[in-house]
Amino acid sequence: MMVFAVALWLFLFIPLLRFPFLSDDYVFLYWYKPFWSGPGKTEFFRPLYNVIFWILKQVGGGAPFLFHAVNAAIHLANSALIYLLVARLYHTRLPAAICFTLFLL
């Protein structure tokens, strides 16, 4: 079931890797020219986000592909963590596989 879920997720997500940024993404690209900068508002202070965003911008040249690919990898990793958490809570794989599939899709 999990292999089918990952295959379906990849089938649906891969075409979206080239999807353009949305309007607020351009604001972030402008704000985070150097990684230590930001909007200057304390309610939006996210230093790890700033560093990761800056690195992705430098490596990918500001193109959306790398941002989307990293986002997909983080989502897949979170799905795996949910699987591990539920498997540990219920001591069986079926509920864990169901939660993994639901979260992933």
Side-chain angles (χ1 to χ4, degrees), residues 1 3 12 16 18 27 29 34 36-38 42 52-53 65 67 93:
M1 173 173 48
V3 172
L12 295 171
L16 299 177
R18 299 261 180 223
V27 173
L29 284 171
W36 59 84
S37 70
T42 56
I52 292 171
F53 201 91
F65 178 83
F67 288 89
R93 292 186 209 166

Side-chain angles (χ1 to χ4, degrees), residues 22-83:
L22 299 176
S23 60
D24 62 341
D25 296 324
Y26 293 105
V27 173
F28 290 122
L29 284 171
Y30 174 77
W31 275 347
Y32 297 111
K33 290 181 181 176
F35 72 89
W36 59 84
S37 70
K41 297 179 180 180
T42 56
E43 68 269 7
F44 201 73
F45 181 69
R46 299 188 288 178
L48 183 60
Y49 174 85
N50 295 10
V51 171
I52 292 171
F53 201 91
W54 181 81
I55 290 171
L56 292 176
K57 182 180 174 186
Q58 299 306 312
V59 172
F65 178 83
L66 188 59
F67 288 89
H68 294 324
V70 169
N71 184 42
I74 291 170
H75 186 70
L76 186 60
N78 283 329
S79 299
L81 289 173
I82 285 177
Y83 174 86

